[in-house]
Amino acid sequence: MKTSSFESVIGLEIHAQLLTKTKLFCGCSTQYGNPPNSLTCPVCLGLPGALPVLNQEAVAMAVKLALAIKAQLNLRSVFSRKNYFYPDLPKGYQITQYHLPVAINGYLKIESNGTYKTIGIERINLEEDAGKSIHEGMPDSAQKTYLDFNRSGIPLLEIVGKPEINSPSEAVEFLQLFRTTLQYIEICDGNMEEGSLRCDANLSVRKKGSSKLGIKTEIKNLNSFRFLHKALEYEAQRQIALLEAGQSVSQETRLWDEKANKTRPMRTKEEAHDYRYFPEPDLPPLVISANFINKIKATLPEFPQEKRERFEQQYKLPAYDAKVLTSSRQLANYFEQTAKICQQPKQASHWIMREVLQFLKDSGITISEFPVSPQNLAELIMLVEKKEISLRTAKEEVFPEMIKTKQKATAIIKRKGLTQVSDEEQIKNIILRVTKDNPKPLKQYLGGKTQVAGFFVGQVMKETRGRANPQLVNKILRQILDGYQK
Ligand code: ZN
Ligand code: MN
């Protein structure tokens, strides 16, 4: 393929809405879904003379993220004004960080095709959100645009990733791990549909092996993992086609159009100097003490990246399984508790990855609401291991009943009479009866058609309703058939 001589260079810029109770520079609530303009005050409406006061909770959250992505915290950082005009920005500027951000140089290690790759993060800026323009849904929407300032001043972390991603799948992996990290440290709910996690991407293409960067475009409106993947794929192909036709890519901001399934131009890209950044005169520099950082450190959980690597080593799990099992703290805890009780991490992983996650997906509930406790799942795994029930019976009959009734496996097995038949005498009698009742297949077997043995195994399973120990059935069946031969 012609296009395979090109590679993509992708960088993500992420905005994460912080889970603080109040806004970044005033006491207004950050609650979602309230009547328009009900959560506002002179500060977040940008009225003349109103002065901002920094929210400590938001600073603590920025520190948490910096620690989670191993970024270097700037003990002294500065707020700046980013000047631009837009109706949803009443002050005429956004308070953000520019010359001295709260943290720089972090990274996340993503898993891609079974290996790990480090993707750098250039900086973390603490900034305020703008209000929201409402262009649709009102009776006079054709003539008017409405403004809702409830979102104005809500704290955000702006994360600027380094252009070290080389494919749409890597971009998705990165954003997924980033989102999981935010959720582990409980600073953002990660809800992309409601806009509490937003992602823009810049992409350029270049000939493979070249170290020179091509001209990039920035793509906005990537509010799901699927759109991120599709938009990057589309944009790379579009740029490659332009270059192959001898044309050039123009630096611009493009929009992902989910209905048309393509990116389209939005505006030409502005340069940083267009914003006339300058230090915010109404706020002193943000100073963070070592003591403050240490106090926060002590409250942090194990991060997903570390947990995933520990799972691989401690439980000997494949990278993919470790990634899935650590996709939320609750799921990881559920796995570890189950594995600890049954002492069989591989089986615990197998059951959770297949049966449990499938059920969660089908029923739309979370692991916290799952009716089977780790204790009860561990017990079921041990019963299979001890051959008291077959794996098939466990999956098809016991497990669904455990979900339905919340009963322990032992109680269900007893009530339904599902214990595996491991009594050699009993199995032998069944085989003798089955072979006598089916003289034709027996004759075929004795005539050399050995694959007929499978038929007899099937018959024994039918007689025992699947409860016969399959290894024993095979062993005894062979002995009996060999006996007939003589
Ligand atoms: Zn306010
Ligand atoms: Mn921003």
Side-chain angles (χ1 to χ4, degrees), residues 13 15 82 94 127 158:
E13 186 176 308
H15 284 90
K82 180 181 182 179
Q94 175 197 30
E127 65 180 28
E158 179 184 74

Side-chain angles (χ1 to χ4, degrees), residues 4 95 114 117-118 152 189 200 204 206 210 217 219 240 281 286 301 311-312 332 363 372 402 451:
S4 63
I95 303 178
K117 180 173 172 182
T118 299
S152 163
D189 64 21
D200 303 328
S204 62
R206 66 179 172 200
S210 159
T217 57
I219 313 160
I240 290 168
L286 167 56
F311 275 23
E312 276 184 65
S363 58
V372 178
M402 287 168 78
Q451 61 268 43

Side-chain angles (χ1 to χ4, degrees), residues 23 25-29 39-45 152:
K23 293 185 182 180
F25 300 117
C26 64
C28 292
S29 166
L39 306 176
T40 55
C41 74
V43 174
C44 55
L45 287 174
S152 163

Side-chain angles (χ1 to χ4, degrees), residues 360 364-370:
L360 297 184
I365 62 168
T366 65
I367 188 71
S368 320
E369 303 158 303
F370 186 58

